[in-house]
């Protein structure tokens, strides 16, 4: 496979995917002039990843990869989970999402969390899924300015820095998205 449409308008995800898949030309939704948000009405990452990939596949008939991902916090019974993007309300804003999580965890000492990513690939009329998870915990306060989404408050297990402080080259060896991409690459080689 030489070219792939990555079905996202999220610039952070796009940048990571371009670095994670250097051997494939990643075409963004912007490149195909697709500006609409694709609804994500479902309660599972798999279903939301599928609807994004199918919507773009129907419009283009080209190989499509989508990513549905989110932050799951044990003390919040898995929230924000599939609702990560709009947790702080509409319109979507990373800072509002972070503030809401930190308020809900105010005084909570059990701060374990994980990021999960489900990639959905539609290729040669077949649907394939690849999952990745990274464990960590939620910081008391935002740390760092790089990355996107909840990166400033997520500290991966084994590190003291948040994903927004660690270089992207490090995040890309650890992250939920990186682990899912490794499975995608193994599939493409097989
Ligand atoms: P969706 O997959 O478009 O529903 O959005 C996933 C949301 O989860 C993003 O908007 C971020 O808020 C959050 N998220 C997913 N992956 C990451 C990540 O690698 N870092 C920080 N936040 C993430």
């Amino acid at each position: 496979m030489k070219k792939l449409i990555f079905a996202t308008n999220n610039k952070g995800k796009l940048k990571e995917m371009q670095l994670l898949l250097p051997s494939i030309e990643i075409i963004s939704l912007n490149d195909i002039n697709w500006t609409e948000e694709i609804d994500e009405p479902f309660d599972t990452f798999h279903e939301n990843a599928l609807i994004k990939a199918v919507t773009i596949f129907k419009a283009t008939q080209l190989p499509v990869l989508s990513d549905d991902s989110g932050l799951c916090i044990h003390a919040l019974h898995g929230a924000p989970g599939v609702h990560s993007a709009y947790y702080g309300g509409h319109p979507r804003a990373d800072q509002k999402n972070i503030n809401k999580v930190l308020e809900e965890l105010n005084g909570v000492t059990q701060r374990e969390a994980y990021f999960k990513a489900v990639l959905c690939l539609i290729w040669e009329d077949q649907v394939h899924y690849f999952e990745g998870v990274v464990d960590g915990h939620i910081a008391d306060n935002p740390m760092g300015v790089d990355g996107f989404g909840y990166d400033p408050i997520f500290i991966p297990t084994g590190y003291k820095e948040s994903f927004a402080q660690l270089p992207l080259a490090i995040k890309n060896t650890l992250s939920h998205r990186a682990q899912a991409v490794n499975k995608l690459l193994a599939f493409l080689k097989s």
Side-chain angles (χ1 to χ4, degrees), residues 13 40 52 68-69 84 115 148-151 171 176-177:
K13 284 187 189 177
E40 299 173 27
K52 290 188 241 189
D68 201 60
S69 46
S84 291
F115 272 120
F148 70 98
Y150 299 89
D151 280 347
K171 180 182 176 188
H176 48 317
R177 192 161 295 107

Side-chain angles (χ1 to χ4, degrees), residues 1 6 16 26 32-34 38 52 54-56 61 75 82 95 97 99 107 124 132 140 169-172 180 182:
M1 184 189 303
F6 185 38
E16 289 183 11
I26 305 287
I32 60 165
N33 294 319
W34 183 288
I38 302 168
K52 290 188 241 189
V54 166
T55 302
I56 299 305
Q61 300 296 315
V82 291
Q95 195 56 54
N97 292 339
N99 291 346
E124 296 178 342
D140 292 333
I170 301 285
K171 180 182 176 188
N172 271 353
N182 285 342

Side-chain angles (χ1 to χ4, degrees), residues 61-82:
Q61 300 296 315
L62 293 169
V64 178
L65 183 68
S66 68
D67 165 312
D68 201 60
S69 46
L71 177 65
C72 304
I73 302 173
H74 298 291
L76 303 181
H77 310 289
V82 291

